[in-house]
mmCIF file of all heavy atoms in Angstrom:
data_model
loop_
_atom_site.group_PDB
_atom_site.id
_atom_site.type_symbol
_atom_site.label_atom_id
_atom_site.label_comp_id
_atom_site.label_asym_id
_atom_site.label_seq_id
_atom_site.Cartn_x
_atom_site.Cartn_y
_atom_site.Cartn_z
ATOM 1 N N LEU A 14 -16.698 4.106 21.725
ATOM 2 C CA LEU A 14 -16.412 4.116 20.298
ATOM 3 C C LEU A 14 -16.280 2.796 19.690
ATOM 4 O O LEU A 14 -16.775 2.368 18.481
ATOM 5 C CB LEU A 14 -15.193 4.966 19.982
ATOM 6 C CG LEU A 14 -15.296 6.427 20.167
ATOM 7 C CD1 LEU A 14 -14.014 7.074 20.150
ATOM 8 C CD2 LEU A 14 -16.180 7.081 19.142
ATOM 9 N N PHE A 15 -15.813 1.750 20.445
ATOM 10 C CA PHE A 15 -15.654 0.335 20.071
ATOM 11 C C PHE A 15 -17.104 -0.248 19.930
ATOM 12 O O PHE A 15 -17.363 -1.234 19.227
ATOM 13 C CB PHE A 15 -14.814 -0.511 20.793
ATOM 14 C CG PHE A 15 -13.310 -0.269 20.496
ATOM 15 C CD1 PHE A 15 -12.362 -0.285 21.436
ATOM 16 C CD2 PHE A 15 -12.941 -0.265 19.125
ATOM 17 C CE1 PHE A 15 -10.998 -0.073 21.166
ATOM 18 C CE2 PHE A 15 -11.659 -0.142 18.846
ATOM 19 C CZ PHE A 15 -10.630 -0.074 19.830
ATOM 20 N N ASP A 16 -18.037 0.258 20.731
ATOM 21 C CA ASP A 16 -19.461 -0.133 20.654
ATOM 22 C C ASP A 16 -19.999 0.185 19.330
ATOM 23 O O ASP A 16 -20.857 -0.467 18.689
ATOM 24 C CB ASP A 16 -20.324 0.501 21.804
ATOM 25 C CG ASP A 16 -20.041 -0.149 23.159
ATOM 26 O OD1 ASP A 16 -19.305 -1.088 23.270
ATOM 27 O OD2 ASP A 16 -20.323 0.632 24.075
ATOM 28 N N LEU A 17 -19.577 1.315 18.800
ATOM 29 C CA LEU A 17 -20.098 1.867 17.435
ATOM 30 C C LEU A 17 -19.284 1.116 16.379
ATOM 31 O O LEU A 17 -19.967 0.655 15.415
ATOM 32 C CB LEU A 17 -19.741 3.408 17.364
ATOM 33 C CG LEU A 17 -19.968 3.928 15.963
ATOM 34 C CD1 LEU A 17 -21.491 3.926 15.477
ATOM 35 C CD2 LEU A 17 -19.546 5.324 15.944
ATOM 36 N N ALA A 18 -17.980 1.037 16.529
ATOM 37 C CA ALA A 18 -17.166 0.338 15.560
ATOM 38 C C ALA A 18 -16.189 -0.660 16.138
ATOM 39 O O ALA A 18 -15.111 -0.306 16.557
ATOM 40 C CB ALA A 18 -16.368 1.386 14.784
ATOM 41 N N PRO A 19 -16.672 -1.858 16.296
ATOM 42 C CA PRO A 19 -15.837 -2.914 16.978
ATOM 43 C C PRO A 19 -14.426 -3.113 16.508
ATOM 44 O O PRO A 19 -14.279 -2.957 15.231
ATOM 45 C CB PRO A 19 -16.638 -4.141 16.854
ATOM 46 C CG PRO A 19 -18.012 -3.583 16.693
ATOM 47 C CD PRO A 19 -17.891 -2.361 15.947
ATOM 48 N N ARG A 20 -13.456 -3.249 17.407
ATOM 49 C CA ARG A 20 -12.053 -3.462 17.011
ATOM 50 C C ARG A 20 -11.984 -4.542 15.972
ATOM 51 O O ARG A 20 -11.060 -4.432 15.189
ATOM 52 C CB ARG A 20 -11.378 -3.721 18.310
ATOM 53 C CG ARG A 20 -9.908 -3.803 18.015
ATOM 54 C CD ARG A 20 -9.045 -4.342 19.298
ATOM 55 N NE ARG A 20 -9.018 -3.348 20.404
ATOM 56 C CZ ARG A 20 -8.144 -2.429 20.543
ATOM 57 N NH1 ARG A 20 -7.040 -2.343 19.623
ATOM 58 N NH2 ARG A 20 -8.067 -1.766 21.577
ATOM 59 N N GLU A 21 -12.778 -5.628 16.213
ATOM 60 C CA GLU A 21 -12.589 -6.711 15.279
ATOM 61 C C GLU A 21 -12.885 -6.323 13.772
ATOM 62 O O GLU A 21 -12.511 -7.139 12.877
ATOM 63 C CB GLU A 21 -13.594 -7.767 15.868
ATOM 64 C CG GLU A 21 -13.363 -8.422 17.023
ATOM 65 C CD GLU A 21 -13.614 -7.545 18.306
ATOM 66 O OE1 GLU A 21 -14.566 -6.588 18.029
ATOM 67 O OE2 GLU A 21 -13.103 -7.626 19.405
ATOM 68 N N GLY A 22 -13.435 -5.296 13.565
ATOM 69 C CA GLY A 22 -13.653 -4.894 12.174
ATOM 70 C C GLY A 22 -12.507 -4.291 11.477
ATOM 71 O O GLY A 22 -12.517 -4.201 10.204
ATOM 72 N N ALA A 23 -11.488 -4.008 12.265
ATOM 73 C CA ALA A 23 -10.276 -3.382 11.715
ATOM 74 C C ALA A 23 -9.507 -4.443 10.924
ATOM 75 O O ALA A 23 -9.490 -5.591 11.275
ATOM 76 C CB ALA A 23 -9.485 -2.845 12.751
ATOM 77 N N MET A 24 -8.803 -3.997 9.796
ATOM 78 C CA MET A 24 -8.138 -4.842 9.016
ATOM 79 C C MET A 24 -6.732 -5.199 9.751
ATOM 80 O O MET A 24 -6.290 -4.384 10.622
ATOM 81 C CB MET A 24 -7.666 -4.173 7.697
ATOM 82 C CG MET A 24 -8.970 -3.933 6.837
ATOM 83 S SD MET A 24 -8.523 -3.275 5.253
ATOM 84 C CE MET A 24 -10.238 -2.992 4.603
ATOM 85 N N ALA A 25 -6.196 -6.302 9.368
ATOM 86 C CA ALA A 25 -5.051 -6.850 10.165
ATOM 87 C C ALA A 25 -3.913 -5.928 10.312
ATOM 88 O O ALA A 25 -3.193 -5.821 11.339
ATOM 89 C CB ALA A 25 -4.556 -8.191 9.564
ATOM 90 N N TRP A 26 -3.670 -5.066 9.281
ATOM 91 C CA TRP A 26 -2.461 -4.226 9.290
ATOM 92 C C TRP A 26 -2.737 -2.864 10.066
ATOM 93 O O TRP A 26 -1.781 -2.063 10.363
ATOM 94 C CB TRP A 26 -2.032 -3.893 7.914
ATOM 95 C CG TRP A 26 -3.075 -3.268 7.051
ATOM 96 C CD1 TRP A 26 -3.926 -4.003 6.153
ATOM 97 C CD2 TRP A 26 -3.795 -2.014 6.993
ATOM 98 N NE1 TRP A 26 -4.946 -3.278 5.574
ATOM 99 C CE2 TRP A 26 -4.848 -1.921 6.088
ATOM 100 C CE3 TRP A 26 -3.410 -0.849 7.694
ATOM 101 C CZ2 TRP A 26 -5.630 -0.848 5.841
ATOM 102 C CZ3 TRP A 26 -4.252 0.320 7.484
ATOM 103 C CH2 TRP A 26 -5.310 0.361 6.494
ATOM 104 N N ASP A 27 -3.960 -2.689 10.510
ATOM 105 C CA ASP A 27 -4.387 -1.412 10.958
ATOM 106 C C ASP A 27 -4.038 -1.223 12.419
ATOM 107 O O ASP A 27 -3.692 -2.291 13.113
ATOM 108 C CB ASP A 27 -5.911 -1.260 10.884
ATOM 109 C CG ASP A 27 -6.393 0.174 10.798
ATOM 110 O OD1 ASP A 27 -5.485 1.096 10.914
ATOM 111 O OD2 ASP A 27 -7.614 0.461 10.560
ATOM 112 N N ASN A 28 -4.100 -0.032 12.991
ATOM 113 C CA ASN A 28 -3.763 0.340 14.297
ATOM 114 C C ASN A 28 -4.932 1.272 14.897
ATOM 115 O O ASN A 28 -4.963 2.436 14.486
ATOM 116 C CB ASN A 28 -2.404 1.025 14.427
ATOM 117 C CG ASN A 28 -1.861 1.177 15.964
ATOM 118 O OD1 ASN A 28 -2.337 0.422 16.689
ATOM 119 N ND2 ASN A 28 -1.125 2.167 16.131
ATOM 120 N N VAL A 29 -5.830 0.798 15.637
ATOM 121 C CA VAL A 29 -6.964 1.473 16.128
ATOM 122 C C VAL A 29 -7.082 1.457 17.549
ATOM 123 O O VAL A 29 -6.317 0.683 18.252
ATOM 124 C CB VAL A 29 -8.332 0.908 15.521
ATOM 125 C CG1 VAL A 29 -8.159 0.907 13.930
ATOM 126 C CG2 VAL A 29 -8.550 -0.615 15.960
ATOM 127 N N GLY A 30 -7.892 2.362 18.071
ATOM 128 C CA GLY A 30 -8.192 2.483 19.620
ATOM 129 C C GLY A 30 -7.324 3.661 20.214
ATOM 130 O O GLY A 30 -6.905 4.520 19.434
ATOM 131 N N GLN A 31 -7.122 3.577 21.472
ATOM 132 C CA GLN A 31 -6.189 4.624 21.975
ATOM 133 C C GLN A 31 -4.772 4.345 21.737
ATOM 134 O O GLN A 31 -4.162 3.364 22.034
ATOM 135 C CB GLN A 31 -6.410 4.658 23.617
ATOM 136 C CG GLN A 31 -5.643 5.844 24.214
ATOM 137 C CD GLN A 31 -5.670 5.906 25.679
ATOM 138 O OE1 GLN A 31 -6.363 4.944 26.344
ATOM 139 N NE2 GLN A 31 -4.865 6.708 26.235
ATOM 140 N N LEU A 32 -4.176 5.479 21.087
ATOM 141 C CA LEU A 32 -2.857 5.325 20.511
ATOM 142 C C LEU A 32 -1.809 6.242 21.423
ATOM 143 O O LEU A 32 -0.655 6.060 21.548
ATOM 144 C CB LEU A 32 -2.700 5.696 19.199
ATOM 145 C CG LEU A 32 -3.515 4.816 18.217
ATOM 146 C CD1 LEU A 32 -3.222 5.196 16.726
ATOM 147 C CD2 LEU A 32 -3.312 3.273 18.468
ATOM 148 N N LEU A 33 -2.370 7.131 22.082
ATOM 149 C CA LEU A 33 -1.533 8.119 22.901
ATOM 150 C C LEU A 33 -2.398 8.476 24.174
ATOM 151 O O LEU A 33 -3.592 8.441 24.284
ATOM 152 C CB LEU A 33 -1.326 9.451 22.241
ATOM 153 C CG LEU A 33 -0.419 9.422 21.025
ATOM 154 C CD1 LEU A 33 -0.468 10.854 20.421
ATOM 155 C CD2 LEU A 33 1.038 9.056 21.359
ATOM 156 N N GLY A 34 -1.586 8.686 25.263
ATOM 157 C CA GLY A 34 -2.119 9.326 26.508
ATOM 158 C C GLY A 34 -2.409 8.189 27.585
ATOM 159 O O GLY A 34 -2.222 7.062 27.496
ATOM 160 N N ASN A 35 -2.984 8.802 28.648
ATOM 161 C CA ASN A 35 -3.352 8.067 29.848
ATOM 162 C C ASN A 35 -4.787 7.526 29.822
ATOM 163 O O ASN A 35 -5.686 8.302 29.765
ATOM 164 C CB ASN A 35 -3.188 8.920 31.115
ATOM 165 C CG ASN A 35 -3.658 8.158 32.401
ATOM 166 O OD1 ASN A 35 -3.767 7.030 32.449
ATOM 167 N ND2 ASN A 35 -3.816 9.104 33.394
ATOM 168 N N PRO A 36 -4.944 6.159 29.843
ATOM 169 C CA PRO A 36 -6.245 5.584 29.595
ATOM 170 C C PRO A 36 -7.192 5.972 30.786
ATOM 171 O O PRO A 36 -8.429 6.088 30.598
ATOM 172 C CB PRO A 36 -6.036 4.061 29.739
ATOM 173 C CG PRO A 36 -4.611 3.895 29.291
ATOM 174 C CD PRO A 36 -3.917 5.168 29.733
ATOM 175 N N GLU A 37 -6.688 6.213 32.012
ATOM 176 C CA GLU A 37 -7.456 6.719 33.046
ATOM 177 C C GLU A 37 -7.714 8.120 33.145
ATOM 178 O O GLU A 37 -8.310 8.533 34.191
ATOM 179 C CB GLU A 37 -6.865 6.047 34.440
ATOM 180 C CG GLU A 37 -6.648 4.606 34.335
ATOM 181 C CD GLU A 37 -7.901 3.742 33.907
ATOM 182 O OE1 GLU A 37 -9.086 4.113 34.109
ATOM 183 O OE2 GLU A 37 -7.791 2.768 33.176
ATOM 184 N N GLY A 38 -7.124 8.873 32.317
ATOM 185 C CA GLY A 38 -7.346 10.453 32.503
ATOM 186 C C GLY A 38 -8.738 10.783 32.156
ATOM 187 O O GLY A 38 -9.331 10.296 31.256
ATOM 188 N N GLU A 39 -9.215 11.704 33.013
ATOM 189 C CA GLU A 39 -10.566 12.153 32.837
ATOM 190 C C GLU A 39 -10.644 13.261 31.818
ATOM 191 O O GLU A 39 -9.667 14.016 31.619
ATOM 192 C CB GLU A 39 -11.149 12.725 34.222
ATOM 193 C CG GLU A 39 -11.397 11.547 35.109
ATOM 194 C CD GLU A 39 -12.179 12.053 36.314
ATOM 195 O OE1 GLU A 39 -12.346 13.356 36.495
ATOM 196 O OE2 GLU A 39 -12.631 11.201 37.096
ATOM 197 N N VAL A 40 -11.669 13.301 31.019
ATOM 198 C CA VAL A 40 -11.817 14.088 29.917
ATOM 199 C C VAL A 40 -13.075 14.915 29.954
ATOM 200 O O VAL A 40 -14.162 14.474 30.333
ATOM 201 C CB VAL A 40 -11.944 13.373 28.577
ATOM 202 C CG1 VAL A 40 -12.081 14.299 27.316
ATOM 203 C CG2 VAL A 40 -10.578 12.493 28.325
ATOM 204 N N SER A 41 -12.903 16.275 29.733
ATOM 205 C CA SER A 41 -14.132 17.203 29.769
ATOM 206 C C SER A 41 -14.406 17.742 28.380
ATOM 207 O O SER A 41 -15.584 18.081 28.057
ATOM 208 C CB SER A 41 -13.931 18.330 30.757
ATOM 209 O OG SER A 41 -12.776 19.097 30.360
ATOM 210 N N ARG A 42 -13.384 17.676 27.516
ATOM 211 C CA ARG A 42 -13.556 18.352 26.066
ATOM 212 C C ARG A 42 -12.792 17.347 25.186
ATOM 213 O O ARG A 42 -11.815 16.982 25.453
ATOM 214 C CB ARG A 42 -13.027 19.773 26.053
ATOM 215 C CG ARG A 42 -13.615 20.758 26.930
ATOM 216 C CD ARG A 42 -12.971 22.163 26.705
ATOM 217 N NE ARG A 42 -13.513 22.602 25.362
ATOM 218 C CZ ARG A 42 -14.662 23.276 25.309
ATOM 219 N NH1 ARG A 42 -15.337 23.534 26.267
ATOM 220 N NH2 ARG A 42 -14.970 23.855 24.157
ATOM 221 N N VAL A 43 -13.595 17.276 23.970
ATOM 222 C CA VAL A 43 -13.110 16.348 22.974
ATOM 223 C C VAL A 43 -13.164 17.009 21.649
ATOM 224 O O VAL A 43 -14.136 17.569 21.260
ATOM 225 C CB VAL A 43 -13.937 14.990 22.905
ATOM 226 C CG1 VAL A 43 -13.387 14.087 21.786
ATOM 227 C CG2 VAL A 43 -13.873 14.198 24.146
ATOM 228 N N LEU A 44 -12.107 16.846 20.765
ATOM 229 C CA LEU A 44 -12.070 17.376 19.541
ATOM 230 C C LEU A 44 -12.029 16.247 18.547
ATOM 231 O O LEU A 44 -11.382 15.227 18.679
ATOM 232 C CB LEU A 44 -10.831 18.153 19.210
ATOM 233 C CG LEU A 44 -10.716 18.922 17.944
ATOM 234 C CD1 LEU A 44 -11.844 20.050 17.922
ATOM 235 C CD2 LEU A 44 -9.352 19.592 17.780
ATOM 236 N N VAL A 45 -12.895 16.311 17.543
ATOM 237 C CA VAL A 45 -13.073 15.256 16.554
ATOM 238 C C VAL A 45 -12.514 15.779 15.163
ATOM 239 O O VAL A 45 -12.864 16.841 14.680
ATOM 240 C CB VAL A 45 -14.573 14.808 16.283
ATOM 241 C CG1 VAL A 45 -14.619 13.772 15.256
ATOM 242 C CG2 VAL A 45 -15.034 14.199 17.564
ATOM 243 N N ALA A 46 -11.609 14.855 14.560
ATOM 244 C CA ALA A 46 -11.001 15.399 13.244
ATOM 245 C C ALA A 46 -10.725 14.113 12.352
ATOM 246 O O ALA A 46 -10.542 13.003 12.975
ATOM 247 C CB ALA A 46 -9.793 16.169 13.486
ATOM 248 N N LEU A 47 -10.747 14.302 11.193
ATOM 249 C CA LEU A 47 -10.400 13.077 10.264
ATOM 250 C C LEU A 47 -9.015 12.718 10.475
ATOM 251 O O LEU A 47 -8.652 11.568 10.409
ATOM 252 C CB LEU A 47 -10.644 13.580 8.708
ATOM 253 C CG LEU A 47 -10.698 12.339 7.857
ATOM 254 C CD1 LEU A 47 -11.798 11.492 8.008
ATOM 255 C CD2 LEU A 47 -10.515 12.779 6.413
ATOM 256 N N ASP A 48 -8.032 13.728 10.562
ATOM 257 C CA ASP A 48 -6.613 13.535 10.870
ATOM 258 C C ASP A 48 -6.122 14.243 12.006
ATOM 259 O O ASP A 48 -6.684 15.312 12.337
ATOM 260 C CB ASP A 48 -5.785 13.796 9.565
ATOM 261 C CG ASP A 48 -6.228 13.274 8.290
ATOM 262 O OD1 ASP A 48 -5.693 12.161 8.014
ATOM 263 O OD2 ASP A 48 -7.036 13.721 7.612
ATOM 264 N N ILE A 49 -5.104 13.770 12.603
ATOM 265 C CA ILE A 49 -4.472 14.560 13.695
ATOM 266 C C ILE A 49 -3.218 15.256 13.050
ATOM 267 O O ILE A 49 -2.166 14.623 12.891
ATOM 268 C CB ILE A 49 -4.136 13.711 14.975
ATOM 269 C CG1 ILE A 49 -5.315 13.017 15.457
ATOM 270 C CG2 ILE A 49 -3.450 14.591 16.068
ATOM 271 C CD1 ILE A 49 -5.009 12.104 16.637
ATOM 272 N N THR A 50 -3.430 16.410 12.674
ATOM 273 C CA THR A 50 -2.330 17.304 12.188
ATOM 274 C C THR A 50 -1.862 18.195 13.143
ATOM 275 O O THR A 50 -2.366 18.332 14.260
ATOM 276 C CB THR A 50 -2.775 18.033 10.961
ATOM 277 O OG1 THR A 50 -3.877 19.037 11.477
ATOM 278 C CG2 THR A 50 -3.570 17.156 9.890
ATOM 279 N N GLU A 51 -0.732 18.957 12.774
ATOM 280 C CA GLU A 51 -0.197 20.015 13.714
ATOM 281 C C GLU A 51 -1.279 20.998 13.968
ATOM 282 O O GLU A 51 -1.426 21.486 15.184
ATOM 283 C CB GLU A 51 0.998 20.681 13.065
ATOM 284 C CG GLU A 51 2.213 19.827 13.108
ATOM 285 C CD GLU A 51 3.063 19.917 14.275
ATOM 286 O OE1 GLU A 51 2.639 20.665 15.282
ATOM 287 O OE2 GLU A 51 4.067 19.138 14.517
ATOM 288 N N ASP A 52 -2.008 21.408 13.109
ATOM 289 C CA ASP A 52 -3.048 22.491 13.229
ATOM 290 C C ASP A 52 -4.138 21.812 14.237
ATOM 291 O O ASP A 52 -4.667 22.630 14.996
ATOM 292 C CB ASP A 52 -3.800 22.835 11.900
ATOM 293 C CG ASP A 52 -2.853 23.770 11.126
ATOM 294 O OD1 ASP A 52 -1.931 24.336 11.660
ATOM 295 O OD2 ASP A 52 -3.157 23.958 9.865
ATOM 296 N N VAL A 53 -4.497 20.641 13.958
ATOM 297 C CA VAL A 53 -5.544 20.120 14.972
ATOM 298 C C VAL A 53 -5.014 20.057 16.354
ATOM 299 O O VAL A 53 -5.757 20.169 17.252
ATOM 300 C CB VAL A 53 -5.940 18.596 14.273
ATOM 301 C CG1 VAL A 53 -6.751 17.862 15.368
ATOM 302 C CG2 VAL A 53 -6.779 18.800 13.009
ATOM 303 N N ALA A 54 -3.798 19.526 16.463
ATOM 304 C CA ALA A 54 -3.176 19.428 17.717
ATOM 305 C C ALA A 54 -3.174 20.735 18.535
ATOM 306 O O ALA A 54 -3.625 20.966 19.566
ATOM 307 C CB ALA A 54 -1.757 18.907 17.715
ATOM 308 N N ASP A 55 -2.748 21.948 17.766
ATOM 309 C CA ASP A 55 -2.770 23.243 18.205
ATOM 310 C C ASP A 55 -4.221 23.716 18.656
ATOM 311 O O ASP A 55 -4.508 24.246 19.728
ATOM 312 C CB ASP A 55 -2.207 24.112 17.221
ATOM 313 C CG ASP A 55 -0.721 24.007 17.031
ATOM 314 O OD1 ASP A 55 -0.134 23.430 17.894
ATOM 315 O OD2 ASP A 55 -0.260 24.536 16.063
#
């Protein structure tokens, strides 16, 4: 994702990248959403 949208493009106040979880965790399914809400988490 940083290949698509490099971290350097983020504004100074912003917080981007992996914010939760295990970086080495393997993933088989991904959900994409504009926001992470309670409904999206469920």
